[in-house]
Amino acid sequence: MTTTWRHLPASAREIAGAATEAVAAARDRDVEAYGPAVDRLTAADRAGLVLGGVVRLLLEETHPDGLAGDDVRQVLERCVRSAAQWRPDVDPHVLLVLLAGALGVYDPGDDDAPPDPAAIARHAPLLVADLLAAAGQPLEGYLTAAFAEVARTELHD
């Protein structure tokens, strides 16, 4: 990890460390490193919120004119195809929920329970790694921005 995250509270440092490890393992398709990093993410309270912020920021940057349905489909298909090569358990529905949640349009409805935190933790790094590759950028700046966004939201609530 190139960033120490010392300026963050302990819980945020844990999310940053776990997210950095999981996204790096996803980028490198490192099966052995991915499991423990995902376990850390699952245990980290609010990791899904932070990674959702990272996904939203990446989507905004890679689609500055906004996202159409075809854009979402292309992101989903690209991520599923890439991840399925080394993660045969990838679930397109969970990735779609992550995308919809990051865009603020996810409504589980009466018959659809949201994915559990472990499923979110297993899939969010795959999506983030895919979007980072498309953006050609490192994770750190997006994590910093996502933490700042969460802090602003908490201040105003």
Side-chain angles (χ1 to χ4, degrees), residues 26-48:
R27 180 195 62 225
D28 298 340
R29 298 178 177 199
D30 185 340
V31 176
E32 289 182 24
Y34 196 70
V38 165
D39 290 344
R40 279 183 68 193
L41 271 180
T42 302
D45 186 38
R46 303 180 67 131

Side-chain angles (χ1 to χ4, degrees), residues 84-132:
Q85 294 176 11
W86 70 285
R87 296 290 310 172
D89 61 342
V90 66
D91 184 341
H93 177 74
V94 175
L95 290 170
L96 180 59
V97 167
L98 288 169
L99 283 167
L103 296 170
V105 297
Y106 177 65
D107 180 12
D110 294 332
D111 297 328
D112 186 25
D116 65 20
I120 297 295
R122 277 191 313 274
H123 288 76
L126 301 172
L127 183 57
V128 170
D130 182 76
L131 290 168
L132 285 170

